[in-house]
Amino acid sequence: MDINTCDKYDVENLSLEKPKKLEDVYVSNVNFTIQTPKLNINKVSKKITLTLNESMEKLLNDFDNKIIGLLSENSSDFFEEEMTVEDAEEIYKHSFKQSKSESKMSLSINKKLSIFNKHKEQLELDSLSCGDTVICLLKCKKIIFYKSHCEPHWEVFQIKLKEEELKKDKYLFVEDENDNYVENENTDGDELNEIKKIKIKNQ
């Protein structure tokens, strides 16, 4: 399996198969796998939503632009009418949503999803929560064509939970010169000797 990362990926070798009817939609197969950088979970429900960083946005934009180009190039074979790149972009729904404050990507959950902690132990889905930092393996296996638009189908099939290391508490006590309990190491011994001298009267 070829796994693309934000540091090293290749969208130029992507190809689209001719859309085939599957139930009420048409599907074009594509095979592209991504290992994300460390990202934060925005929401966990029936899907998992990730908050993206700039490098992840760039990778996905390059992927989307390549798919849009392929739709245009193959339009005479795929559709009843040829499409320009601009036409293809109008019907294509991008891989993530971008707002002024953040970019988010919504992912379907693979039925065989595997979740691991730092010890490579497997976890359950309910161990994930909003705000967790994760690294994910994502796969786009198909482009789905609806009546008015098409979109990539992204799913997550492996997750590595990046657990925070426990921070050692900082020593905050102010040293007190009058506090000599450490210096008088024999104090406890002297008190013990005094206790030994006390004789308990038998009843």
Side-chain angles (χ1 to χ4, degrees), residues 30 34 46 48 60 92 111 127 152 166 171 183-184 201:
V30 62
I34 299 173
K46 293 182 179 179
I48 292 178
L60 292 172
Y92 182 80
K111 292 180 180 179
S127 64
L166 292 176
Y171 185 83
E183 296 175 2
N184 295 338
K201 185 177 180 181

Side-chain angles (χ1 to χ4, degrees), residues 14-104:
L14 277 172
S15 61
L16 277 179
E17 295 182 8
K18 188 173 182 177
K20 296 178 180 179
K21 191 168 186 180
L22 182 65
E23 296 180 352
D24 295 332
V25 297
Y26 283 85
V27 172
S28 179
N29 291 328
V30 62
N31 190 13
F32 193 72
T33 302
I34 299 173
Q35 177 174 313
T36 74
K38 288 190 289 187
L39 300 173
N40 290 332
I41 293 177
N42 183 277
K43 186 178 180 181
V44 182
S45 55
K46 293 182 179 179
K47 291 189 172 186
I48 292 178
T49 304
L50 299 176
T51 302
L52 306 182
N53 60 14
E54 288 185 12
S55 58
M56 190 66 188
E57 285 180 27
K58 183 180 185 306
L59 190 161
L60 292 172
N61 277 326
D62 288 346
F63 171 87
D64 287 340
N65 289 334
K66 180 62 179 179
I67 297 297
I68 290 169
L70 289 171
L71 290 172
S72 175
E73 289 173 22
N74 295 285
S75 59
S76 58
D77 184 37
F78 287 3
F79 313 112
E80 293 181 357
E81 298 179 1
E82 289 191 17
M83 288 186 183
T84 64
V85 171
E86 289 75 16
D87 294 334
E89 190 164 8
E90 283 186 11
I91 67 163
Y92 182 80
K93 189 175 179 181
H94 287 250
S95 296
F96 64 95
K97 292 182 179 180
Q98 192 169 17
S99 66
K100 291 182 180 180
S101 58
E102 61 185 5
S103 297
K104 295 183 290 186

Side-chain angles (χ1 to χ4, degrees), residues 69-200:
L70 289 171
L71 290 172
S72 175
E73 289 173 22
N74 295 285
S75 59
S76 58
D77 184 37
F78 287 3
F79 313 112
E80 293 181 357
E81 298 179 1
E82 289 191 17
M83 288 186 183
T84 64
V85 171
E86 289 75 16
D87 294 334
E89 190 164 8
E90 283 186 11
I91 67 163
Y92 182 80
K93 189 175 179 181
H94 287 250
S95 296
F96 64 95
K97 292 182 179 180
Q98 192 169 17
S99 66
K100 291 182 180 180
S101 58
E102 61 185 5
S103 297
K104 295 183 290 186
M105 183 181 192
S106 184
L107 302 157
S108 297
I109 299 173
N110 188 285
K111 292 180 180 179
K112 296 181 180 180
L113 173 68
S114 299
I115 305 171
F116 301 94
N117 62 15
K118 64 180 180 180
H119 303 295
K120 299 182 180 179
E121 300 165 335
Q122 286 202 263
L123 306 172
E124 297 298 324
L125 181 61
D126 58 13
S127 64
L128 299 178
S129 58
C130 180
D132 283 346
T133 301
V134 292
I135 295 175
C136 302
L137 289 179
L138 315 179
K139 181 175 286 188
C140 180
K141 297 174 68 175
K142 55 192 175 183
I143 307 297
I144 303 176
F145 295 83
Y146 300 96
K147 289 183 179 180
S148 60
H149 71 280
C150 64
E151 63 182 33
H153 179 77
W154 288 99
E155 64 179 21
V156 54
F157 64 94
Q158 281 197 10
I159 295 175
K160 180 164 64 173
L161 177 62
K162 301 295 287 184
E163 299 161 296
E164 289 187 10
E165 298 290 338
L166 292 176
K167 295 181 180 179
K168 293 183 178 180
D169 291 334
K170 185 179 179 181
Y171 185 83
L172 299 176
F173 288 102
V174 177
E175 298 297 342
D176 185 355
E177 294 179 358
N178 297 321
D179 186 0
N180 57 5
Y181 73 94
V182 175
E183 296 175 2
N184 295 338
E185 295 178 353
N186 296 326
T187 301
D188 291 343
D190 293 341
E191 288 179 354
L192 187 58
N193 290 333
E194 291 296 323
I195 292 173
K196 288 179 180 178
K197 294 177 184 178
I198 299 175
K199 295 181 179 180
I200 306 299

